[in-house]
């Protein structure tokens, strides 16, 4: 099993202290979290893309480029790239450049995104966002694989023998499809033989497990080898301590502060108590053995080989945050790496020789 640390770069008051960092300090915190993730041995670091409050993650290629310059090993993920809002040509240019700057460490998780404010900002409607997402992905995919492209898309001007530069480093990049609530993204992933990443953070397991089952069914229907179907999954929160009691006591102020903030925004929390959150959500809060057992229970439903944890302290003190991640790597990750297989491809930096494009795995074969 492989492990990512992911941030959506929420810029909101601290759920425990009520203090709010400056924008610059919040970005600095994200960079520090990425460096910590590489230091501790995480396999990837992801940055989300949102274009509305309370997020400041509107430019993940810029943030990931800065992280790429400061790291050497860790793979760099988008979580997610909202292709329904973007010009796929411009998105390709940004990410192909980043792929070169990181020497082939980039992976994309794409999705339609959500939120009324960002749809209005980009003049995208609920009726056309799925069509935009699929069209943008298909065009992005063509550009990545072909030196010149001719296409007549609906949502952007046509391309006539267009050359889009720079040509990519990875041939091709791996693209995951973010899955939260709808079968459209699941079907798109299965159709093209791409891996799926379940959001798995808002609700109990059942709706996410149903989408994963549908992905595997569609994967086979499209004629792909079932052994190559690959799933990643998120977690709604993370804090590990020596005992469950210690973990619950430390995390309670964080949970209560987050619930209060949700209610201020007019949202009704799905899990009203910390005990329910720990029991029925995907949150990994407790002792190492409790967390290992819970990941195994989710793996029985998802069959996932990649797991993401929250990269941010999110109300924990710096000492609590680092100690929890250190405990994950020393007391949890080794067991999960042993018990749960990796994705069915080589994991690591691309080849250092630029003349030899790195292989990105059997799940990326054109179909």
């Amino acid at each position: 099993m492989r492990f990512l640390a992911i941030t959506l770069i929420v810029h909101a008051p601290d759920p425990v202290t009520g203090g709010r960092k400056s924008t610059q300090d919040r970005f600095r915190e994200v960079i520090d979290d990425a460096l910590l993730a590489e230091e501790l041995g995480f396999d990837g670091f992801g940055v989300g893309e949102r274009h509305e409050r309370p997020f400041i993650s509107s430019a993940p290629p810029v943030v990931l480029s800065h992280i790429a310059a400061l790291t050497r090993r860790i793979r760099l993920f988008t979580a997610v790239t909202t292709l329904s809002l973007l010009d796929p040509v411009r998105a390709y240019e940004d990410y192909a450049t980043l792929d070169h700057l990181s020497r082939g460490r980039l992976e994309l998780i794409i999705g339609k995104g959500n939120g009324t404010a960002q749809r209005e900002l980009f003049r995208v409607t609920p009726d056309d966002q799925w069509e935009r997402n699929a069209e943008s992905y298909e065009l992005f995919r063509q550009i990545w694989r072909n030196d010149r492209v001719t296409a007549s898309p609906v949502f952007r001007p046509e391309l006539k023998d267009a050359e889009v530069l720079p040509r990519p480093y990875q041939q091709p990049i791996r693209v995951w499809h973010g899955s939260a609530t709808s079968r459209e993204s699941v079907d798109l992933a299965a159709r093209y033989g791409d891996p799926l990443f379940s959001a798995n953070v808002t609700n109990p397991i059942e709706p996410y497990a149903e989408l994963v089952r549908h992905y595997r069914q569609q994967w086979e229907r499209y004629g792909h080898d079932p052994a190559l179907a690959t799933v990643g999954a998120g977690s709604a929160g993370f804090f590990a301590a020596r005992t469950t009691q210690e973990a619950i006591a430390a995390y309670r102020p964080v949970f209560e502060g987050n619930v209060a903030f949700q209610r201020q925004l007019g949202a009704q929390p799905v899990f009203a108590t910390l005990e329910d959150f720990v029991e029925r959500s995907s949150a990994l809060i407790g002792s190492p053995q409790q967390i290992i057992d819970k990941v195994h229970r989710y793996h029985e439903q998802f069959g996932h080989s990649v797991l993401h944890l929250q990269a941010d302290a999110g109300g924990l003190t710096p000492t609590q945050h680092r100690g929890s991640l250190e405990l994950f790597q020393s007391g949890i990750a080794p067991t999960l790496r042993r018990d749960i297989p990796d994705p069915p491809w080589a994991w690591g930096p691309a080849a250092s020789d630029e003349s030899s494009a790195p292989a990105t795995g059997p799940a990326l074969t054109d179909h």
Side-chain angles (χ1 to χ4, degrees):
M1 183 170 239
R2 297 289 178 159
F3 305 103
L4 316 181
I6 285 182
T7 178
L8 299 180
I9 320 186
V10 176
H11 191 216
D14 184 287
V16 177
T17 68
R20 188 173 184 227
K21 292 180 172 67
S22 69
T23 299
Q24 186 176 64
D25 286 346
R26 183 68 185 96
F27 280 124
R28 181 68 255 175
E29 188 174 56
V30 170
I31 301 305
D32 290 343
D33 287 335
L35 296 176
L36 178 61
E38 175 157 276
E39 175 192 339
L40 295 181
F42 280 84
D43 301 292
F45 188 86
V47 175
E49 179 180 340
R50 297 292 289 269
H51 300 270
E52 59 187 341
R53 292 181 183 274
F55 308 95
I56 52 172
S57 51
S58 57
V62 178
V63 178
L64 289 170
S65 291
H66 190 66
I67 293 170
L70 298 174
T71 58
R72 292 294 176 268
R73 178 196 58 80
I74 201 164
R75 293 194 69 77
L76 307 172
F77 283 73
T78 63
V80 300
T81 294
T82 52
L83 277 182
S84 66
L85 308 179
L86 305 178
D87 181 332
V89 176
R90 190 70 186 93
Y92 165 83
E93 292 172 335
D94 284 343
Y95 284 114
T97 300
L98 173 52
D99 196 38
H100 277 281
L101 293 175
S102 67
R103 296 191 69 78
R105 287 186 285 145
L106 178 65
E107 303 201 22
L108 298 187
I109 306 175
I110 68 162
K112 71 170 180 62
N114 53 31
T116 302
Q118 63 181 10
R119 281 201 307 266
E120 292 176 350
L121 184 65
F122 288 91
R123 301 181 67 84
V124 172
T125 71
D127 295 332
D128 67 21
Q129 60 185 350
W130 281 115
E131 288 80 6
R132 287 177 178 272
N133 183 68
E135 178 183 281
S136 292
Y137 168 66
E138 289 162 357
L139 186 54
F140 183 97
R141 180 184 176 91
Q142 288 182 52
I143 296 170
W144 203 281
R145 287 164 169 76
N146 299 286
D147 291 338
R148 293 184 178 274
V149 172
T150 296
S152 300
V154 174
F155 298 106
R156 76 163 318 278
E158 67 177 341
L159 299 173
K160 293 184 178 180
D161 196 30
E163 181 182 34
V164 189
L165 300 174
R167 296 312 304 148
Y169 187 82
Q170 295 184 82
Q171 298 280 359
I173 194 172
R174 182 176 297 113
V175 178
W176 302 68
H177 296 249
S179 166
T181 60
S182 175
R183 292 190 172 199
E184 283 90 343
S185 57
V186 168
D187 189 78
L188 191 65
R191 187 188 324 161
Y192 283 102
D194 292 332
L196 185 76
F197 214 106
S198 174
N200 187 41
V201 296
T202 304
N203 297 299
I205 191 172
E206 289 80 10
Y208 304 114
E210 171 58 29
L211 287 172
V212 170
R213 287 191 291 270
H214 182 65
Y215 167 68
R216 295 185 185 279
Q217 292 166 0
Q218 292 298 96
W219 178 278
E220 292 191 51
R221 190 174 75 83
Y222 285 116
H224 307 310
D225 182 349
L228 300 181
T230 304
V231 176
S235 57
F238 171 73
F239 184 70
R242 187 177 59 87
T243 68
T244 299
Q245 292 79 8
E246 291 175 18
I248 293 291
Y251 200 81
R252 189 175 298 280
V254 175
F255 175 80
E256 291 176 349
N258 285 331
V259 167
F261 183 66
Q262 290 177 46
R263 287 178 169 146
Q264 287 176 15
L265 296 177
Q268 185 61 35
V270 176
F271 307 100
T273 69
L274 177 57
E275 288 71 20
D276 191 34
F277 184 61
V278 171
E279 175 63 26
R280 294 196 307 121
S281 84
S282 61
L284 302 174
I285 299 165
S287 67
Q289 190 59 54
Q290 183 180 9
I291 290 171
I292 289 168
D293 291 344
K294 189 168 189 178
V295 173
H296 273 289
R297 290 199 303 273
Y298 270 73
H299 183 260
E300 289 173 0
Q301 295 289 322
F302 292 163
H304 58 308
S305 54
V306 178
L307 172 70
H308 90 52
L309 304 180
Q310 182 177 320
D312 313 294
L316 299 169
T317 68
T319 299
Q320 288 173 324
H321 180 50
R322 184 184 181 100
S324 177
L325 293 177
E326 287 176 341
L327 183 55
F328 178 84
Q329 289 293 1
S330 65
I332 299 170
T335 299
L336 294 176
R337 289 187 193 278
R338 183 192 68 222
D339 293 349
I340 299 175
D342 283 349
W345 56 70
W347 188 289
S352 58
D353 180 5
E354 186 164 333
S355 66
S356 177
T360 52
L364 284 176
T365 304
D366 278 323
H367 299 283

